[in-house]
Amino acid sequence: MDIYAFQSTLMLVVLVALLAIKGFAFINSLTYSAEAYQAAGKLTKPAWCAITGLGFAAQLILIGSSPLGLIHLVFTIASLVYIADVRPALAEVTSRR
């Protein structure tokens, strides 16, 4: 296996992983109510849906470009912030005790 084939395979794996992260963040942001976002003290539901949705759409539209480009990295960070910070806060607010 030459280095170019390895690099292509690695970039494909990174692309699929980032697409999965952004897709999960977008779908998950749609599942919580607007009141849950307010109760958790986070940005509004339309804001998080727009951020994660635009990131997912950009990943799909720019699928031929490098997954390490500036647009991809910005939206990946936003999706990871949603997953690491917002999602646990929403789950805590909406958990059934």
Side-chain angles (χ1 to χ4, degrees), residues 2-80:
D2 63 342
I3 190 71
Y4 298 112
F6 175 73
Q7 181 181 4
S8 295
T9 304
L10 183 64
M11 284 303 206
L12 180 63
V13 169
V14 169
L15 178 78
V16 170
L18 295 181
L19 187 62
I21 288 169
K22 291 174 186 169
F24 173 77
F26 176 58
I27 297 298
N28 190 265
S29 69
L30 295 172
T31 61
Y32 290 101
S33 67
E35 293 80 21
Y37 285 88
Q38 289 176 346
K42 302 298 178 184
L43 283 177
T44 63
K45 179 178 181 169
W48 277 113
C49 290
I51 292 167
T52 57
L54 285 173
F56 186 59
Q59 185 80 31
L60 289 174
I61 292 169
L62 301 172
I63 202 152
S65 67
S66 170
L68 302 177
L70 182 62
I71 297 291
H72 294 301
L73 290 177
V74 167
F75 282 120
T76 298
I77 291 169
S79 294
L80 291 173

